[in-house]
C-alpha cells in the first residue's frame, strides 16, 4: 500500500477495474475432468437426471442457455415472505389457548380442521383477523359473513383481510359481489391429491375446470383467478419439490392465459404448501424423523415460493405442547436465523434448479384430456416423472466414497 493511502482510497480506485481478466474461466472439459476425478473415473453422465424426455445435467456453464420463465418466481420482488401456518380445530380442547399460544410464538396462519365449525367463534376470541391468514375448508356463507362483520368491528381494512372460506357453487357470483374491495379473500381451493399422492398435472386440470365453472357462474376471468387458491402437498426431495412449485406457477400462468385475463397479475395464484407425514409410519420409524422431514419439506416449499406453509404437529414422546412448539420453531428458524424470507426467488438463476423447473414445466404443458377424464393417465405420467428422478441415496456418487 502506498504511503499515506488509506484502504478506502485503494478500494475506491479498484472499484472500476475489471479483475476477472486475471482469472480466465475454466472450460467445460476442465470441469468434467475434475468431476471425473472426484467420481474415481466413473462417467459423469451417471449423475444426469432424466425428466420426461430431457436429461438434466448436474452442472452448467455461464455460456449455457438457462430458461427462466416469467411467472415461475411469482410476483414477489422484495423478499420471500410466507404465512407460517398451523392446523387447529374448534373441536379440540383449549383451542383458543392453543391458537393464542401459536400466534404469540410466531405463527400467523391457521388452517381450521374438523367437519363442524361449531365453536369457531370461541376459538378465534381475542384474535386480530387482520394479522393472520385464516383457512376454513368446511365453511359457509354464514361463516364468511360473521368473519367480515368481526373484521369490521376490529377495524381491519377490507384490503388487508386474508382468508379462505369455501363457498357453494350456486352462491359464487353473489358472494363475489359481496367481496368487492376484499382482494385477499379466496372462495375455492384445489388440491393436487389422488389416492394419497401429489399429482401436479391433475391440480392444473382441476384448476382449469374450476375456472371454467366459476366463469360460467358469472365471475370474470380476473375475479375467478383472485378467488382461487391451490393446496400442494410437499414431498421429501428438496430440490425436486422446490422446482415443482416453481414449475406449477409457470404452468398455471399458461392455463390462465387460455382464458385471456384483462390483468397480467391474474396469472399468479395463492399456493398453500402443506407438510406431509407418511401414513402408516414405516417400521423402525423414529418419532423424530417427522421433525427432520417437516424441516426439509418446509425449506422446499419456501424456496419454491409458497404463499403459505402449513406444518402439522408431529407426534413426540415429550408431549403435544413441545410438538406444537417444535412445529412453530421450524418457521421461526427458517425465517429469523436462516433468513429465507430475505431474498425473492432464492433459487432463481441456479442452473440445476432452473433446468429442473423448465423440464417439469414442459411436462405440465396443456394436453388433450378427452380420453383421460378420471385423471389416471396424468397420475401415471406424474408417477413416472417422479420415479425417473433419483433420490439422494440413489445417486451413484454415494458408492464412490
Amino acid at each position: 500500500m502506498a504511503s499515506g493511502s488509506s484502504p478506502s482510497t485503494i478500494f475506491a480506485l479498484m472499484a472500476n477495474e475489471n479483475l476477472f481478466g486475471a482469472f480466465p474461466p475454466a472450460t467445460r472439459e476442465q470441469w468434467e475432468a475434475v468431476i471425473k476425478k472426484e467420481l474415481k473415473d466413473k462417467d459423469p453422465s451417471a449423475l444426469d437426471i432424466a425428466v420426461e424426455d430431457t436429461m438434466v445435467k448436474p452442472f452448467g456453464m455461464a455460456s449455457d442457455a438457462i430458461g427462466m420463465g416469467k411467472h415461475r418466481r411469482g410476483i414477489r420482488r422484495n423478499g420471500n415472505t410466507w404465512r407460517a401456518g398451523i392446523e387447529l380445530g374448534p373441536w379440540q380442547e383449549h383451542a383458543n389457548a392453543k391458537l393464542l399460544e401459536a400466534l404469540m410464538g410466531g405463527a400467523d396462519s391457521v388452517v381450521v380442521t374438523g367437519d363442524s365449525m361449531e365453536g369457531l367463534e370461541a376459538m378465534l376470541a381475542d384474535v386480530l383477523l387482520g394479522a393472520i391468514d385464516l383457512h376454513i375448508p368446511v365453511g359457509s356463507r354464514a361463516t364468511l359473513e360473521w368473519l367480515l362483520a368481526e373484521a369490521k368491528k376490529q377495524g381491519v381494512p377490507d384490503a388487508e383481510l386474508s382468508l379462505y372460506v369455501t363457498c357453494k357453487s350456486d352462491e359464487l357470483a353473489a358472494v363475489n359481489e359481496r367481496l368487492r374491495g376484499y382482494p385477499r379473500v379466496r372462495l375455492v381451493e384445489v388440491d393436487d391429491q389422488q389416492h394419497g399422492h401429489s399429482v401436479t398435472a391433475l391440480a392444473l386440470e382441476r384448476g382449469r375446470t374450476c375456472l371454467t365453472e366459476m366463469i360460467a357462474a358469472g365471475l370474470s376471468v380476473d375475479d375467478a383467478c383472485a378467488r382461487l387458491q391451490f393446496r400442494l402437498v410437499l414431498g421429501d426431495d428438496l430440490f425436486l419439490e422446490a422446482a415443482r412449485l416453481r414449475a406449477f406457477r409457470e404452468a398455471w400462468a399458461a392455463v390462465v392465459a387460455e382464458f385471456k385475463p384483462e390483468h397480467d397479475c391474474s396469472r399468479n395464484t395463492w399456493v398453500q404448501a402443506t407438510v406431509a407425514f407418511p401414513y402408516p409410519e414405516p417400521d423402525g420409524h423414529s418419532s423424530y424423523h417427522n421433525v427432520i422431514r417437516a424441516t426439509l419439506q418446509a425449506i422446499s416449499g419456501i424456496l419454491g415460493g409458497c404463499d403459505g406453509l402449513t406444518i402439522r404437529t408431529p407426534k413426540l414422546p415429550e408431549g403435544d405442547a413441545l410438538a406444537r412448539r417444535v412445529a412453530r420453531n421450524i418457521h421461526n428458524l427458517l425465517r429469523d436465523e436462516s433468513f429465507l424470507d430475505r431474498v425473492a426467488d432464492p433459487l432463481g438463476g441456479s442452473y440445476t434448479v432452473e433446468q429442473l423447473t423448465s423440464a417439469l414445466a414442459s411436462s405440465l404443458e396443456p394436453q388433450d384430456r378427452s380420453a383421460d377424464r378420471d385423471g389416471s393417465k396424468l397420475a401415471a405420467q406424474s408417477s413416472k416423472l417422479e420415479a425417473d428422478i433419483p433420490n439422494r441415496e440413489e445417486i451413484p456418487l454415494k458408492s464412490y466414497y
Side-chain angles (χ1 to χ4, degrees), residues 30-42 44 400-401:
Q30 288 174 313
W31 276 115
E32 288 181 346
V34 171
I35 293 172
K36 190 173 183 180
K37 180 180 178 181
E38 289 296 312
L39 295 179
K40 303 293 192 280
D41 290 328
K42 299 292 183 180
Y400 304 151
Y401 287 87

Side-chain angles (χ1 to χ4, degrees), residues 105-378:
D108 62 357
S109 175
V110 58
V111 177
V112 182
T113 62
D115 298 327
S116 171
M117 290 301 102
E118 183 180 352
L120 179 65
E121 184 175 349
M123 188 182 91
L124 293 176
D126 300 320
V127 174
L128 179 62
L129 295 178
I132 68 171
D133 180 56
L134 182 64
H135 295 247
I136 305 180
V138 184
S140 64
R141 184 164 183 178
T143 302
L144 176 61
E145 292 292 350
W146 176 78
L147 289 169
L148 296 179
E150 192 66 18
K152 285 289 186 185
K153 290 180 185 177
Q154 296 178 358
V156 178
D158 297 351
E160 294 182 12
L161 183 64
S162 179
L163 58 90
Y164 156 65
V165 180
T166 189
C167 179
K168 293 180 180 179
S169 57
D170 59 354
E171 296 180 336
L172 274 173
V175 173
N176 182 61
E177 285 301 315
R178 170 73 176 86
L179 293 174
R180 294 294 177 191
Y182 292 88
R184 299 184 183 182
V185 177
R186 290 92 61 195
L187 301 173
V188 178
E189 181 179 75
V190 175
D191 66 38
D192 64 349
Q193 291 296 286
Q194 185 178 54
H195 309 307
H197 297 284
S198 295
V199 184
T200 313
L202 195 56
L204 289 169
E205 192 58 35
R206 287 171 177 167
R208 180 187 282 109
T209 300
C210 281
L211 274 187
T212 302
E213 293 174 349
M214 293 168 78
I215 293 170
L219 278 71
S220 68
V221 176
D222 296 281
D223 282 350
C225 292
R227 303 304 178 197
L228 184 65
Q229 74 172 31
F230 287 86
R231 180 170 60 86
L232 303 183
V233 179
L234 298 169
D236 292 336
D237 193 311
L238 194 154
F239 286 106
L240 170 62
E241 289 300 296
R244 183 169 75 93
L245 265 62
R246 300 174 82 245
F248 171 82
R249 285 194 182 278
E250 186 168 314
W252 177 247
V255 170
V256 174
E258 299 173 13
F259 294 84
K260 296 179 173 55
E262 181 180 350
H263 304 288
D264 190 58
C265 61
S266 295
R267 301 177 189 228
N268 189 49
T269 190
W270 183 283
V271 174
Q272 186 73 21
T274 302
V275 165
F277 300 144
Y279 182 83
E281 293 187 354
D283 293 337
H285 192 274
S286 166
S287 302
Y288 305 102
H289 283 177
N290 282 338
V291 176
I292 300 173
R293 172 175 284 108
T295 303
L296 292 176
Q297 290 186 14
I299 293 172
S300 295
I302 295 165
L303 295 181
C306 67
D307 297 282
L309 173 66
T310 305
I311 300 181
R312 295 168 177 159
T313 302
K315 293 182 179 180
L316 297 180
E318 290 85 355
D320 187 60
L322 179 63
R324 295 196 306 270
R325 181 179 178 184
V326 167
R328 294 195 305 272
N329 280 344
I330 293 174
H331 289 290
N332 294 335
L333 289 170
L334 296 180
R335 180 182 58 232
D336 300 330
E337 296 194 23
S338 299
F339 307 119
L340 295 188
D341 65 331
R342 299 289 183 89
V343 180
D345 191 25
L347 292 180
S350 163
Y351 169 82
T352 299
V353 174
E354 293 292 1
Q355 292 290 80
L356 188 54
T357 301
S358 296
L360 290 170
S362 177
S363 73
L364 295 172
E365 289 178 352
Q367 54 187 287
D368 181 17
R369 285 276 288 145
S370 59
D372 187 32
R373 297 190 181 280
D374 64 351
S376 58
K377 185 181 294 185
L378 286 174

